[in-house]
């Protein structure tokens, strides 16, 4: 994926701690394990930032399927749809909670106009954007197929990570409860 210069991140997004490549900290995931990590984070986050060649906007994920594809409802006349149709390379950023479940994905997006998919992905909350309901002629579907990504998470949940941080701060010691890795769905 070619990312515009203003959106290019550093190549190494791993922690700078000397143990960053330690087997207890580093867990690269591929195939089904990568898809499961994506699904776990997306289920908790519900929303993300979708970056196209031309814009950044928050989007509500309607579904993350068994293949790791992410599905969104969108206005067929929106700038993001036009940007995706011109260049389908996108980035997604998720944050599941204040202290865990960080996820960055790059992928290929496509705009679809399938009424059956729209009905499957419809939620009453979508009426805020589509006043005519699920039959609104302006609704389209965006599917993002992840190609690669990175995640940052904690191993034992927010509560345990929080306690470890407090103990570490009180004792002046580093207690790392984190895990990081690359994803290749």
């Amino acid at each position: 994926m070619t990312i515009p210069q203003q959106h290019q991140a550093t190549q190494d997004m791993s922690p700078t701690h000397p143990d960053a490549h330690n087997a207890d900290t580093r867990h690269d995931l591929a195939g089904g394990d990568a898809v499961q990590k994506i699904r776990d984070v997306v289920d908790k986050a519900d929303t993300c930032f979708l970056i196209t060649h031309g814009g950044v906007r928050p989007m509500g994920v309607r579904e993350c399927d068994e293949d790791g594809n992410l599905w969104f409802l969108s206005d067929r006349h929106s700038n993001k749809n036009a940007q995706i149709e011109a260049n389908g390379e996108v980035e997604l950023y998720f944050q599941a909670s204040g202290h865990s479940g960080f996820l960055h994905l790059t992928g290929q997006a496509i705009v679809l106009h399938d009424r059956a998919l729209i009905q499957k992905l419809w939620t009453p909350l979508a009426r805020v954007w589509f006043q005519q309901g699920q039959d609104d002629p302006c609704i389209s579907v965006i599917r993002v197929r992840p190609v690669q990504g990175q995640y940052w998470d904690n191993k034992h949940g927010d509560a345990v990570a929080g306690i470890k941080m407090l103990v570490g701060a009180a004792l002046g010691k580093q207690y790392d409860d984190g895990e990081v890795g690359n994803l290749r769905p």
Side-chain angles (χ1 to χ4, degrees), residues 3 8 18 25 27 29 33 42 48 58 75 80 82 87 90 98 111 117 119 125 127 131 134 141 159 177:
I3 301 168
Q8 287 184 358
T25 303
H27 301 281
L29 304 173
D33 292 335
V42 171
C48 67
D75 187 317
K80 77 180 145 307
N87 184 338
V90 298
V111 176
L117 272 174
Q119 289 179 353
L125 185 58
R127 189 177 288 277
Q131 286 81 28
Q134 62 185 327
V141 174
D177 190 47

Side-chain angles (χ1 to χ4, degrees), residues 21-181:
H21 298 286
N22 175 320
D24 290 335
T25 303
R26 182 98 196 170
H27 301 281
D28 292 340
L29 304 173
D33 292 335
V35 168
Q36 189 58 53
K37 176 56 88 174
I38 291 168
R39 292 183 77 180
D40 289 346
V41 172
V42 171
D43 285 348
K44 292 175 188 167
D46 285 336
T47 60
C48 67
F49 278 103
L50 171 68
I51 301 173
T52 59
H53 288 266
V56 178
R57 77 279 300 148
M59 294 288 292
V61 179
R62 292 303 312 126
E63 182 180 330
C64 180
D65 68 23
E66 63 277 353
D67 296 322
N69 293 312
L70 300 153
W71 299 87
F72 304 87
L73 294 176
S74 178
D75 187 317
R76 71 174 39 212
H77 306 292
S78 68
N79 287 332
K80 77 180 145 307
N81 281 32
Q83 292 161 357
I84 288 169
E85 288 170 344
N87 184 338
E89 295 173 337
V90 298
E91 291 184 81
L92 302 164
Y93 287 88
F94 292 88
Q95 183 174 350
S97 74
H99 303 287
S100 66
F102 301 97
L103 177 66
H104 168 253
L105 297 172
T106 59
Q108 191 66 34
I110 187 170
V111 176
L112 304 166
H113 303 283
D114 183 320
R115 298 310 301 173
L117 272 174
I118 292 167
Q119 289 179 353
K120 177 183 176 196
L121 299 171
W122 180 258
T123 175
L125 185 58
R127 189 177 288 277
V128 171
W129 294 276
F130 305 104
Q131 286 81 28
Q132 296 179 40
Q134 62 185 327
D135 296 322
D136 192 315
C138 292
I139 303 174
S140 65
V141 174
I142 296 173
R143 181 197 71 206
V144 176
R145 179 170 286 142
V147 175
Q148 65 181 355
Q150 299 83 30
Y151 74 95
W152 304 262
D153 214 343
N154 59 48
K155 296 176 190 173
H156 304 103
D158 284 348
V160 172
I163 291 169
K164 285 186 172 189
M165 285 173 47
L166 290 173
V167 169
L171 299 177
K173 294 185 178 188
Q174 184 169 3
Y175 285 98
D176 188 10
D177 190 47
E179 67 177 5
V180 298

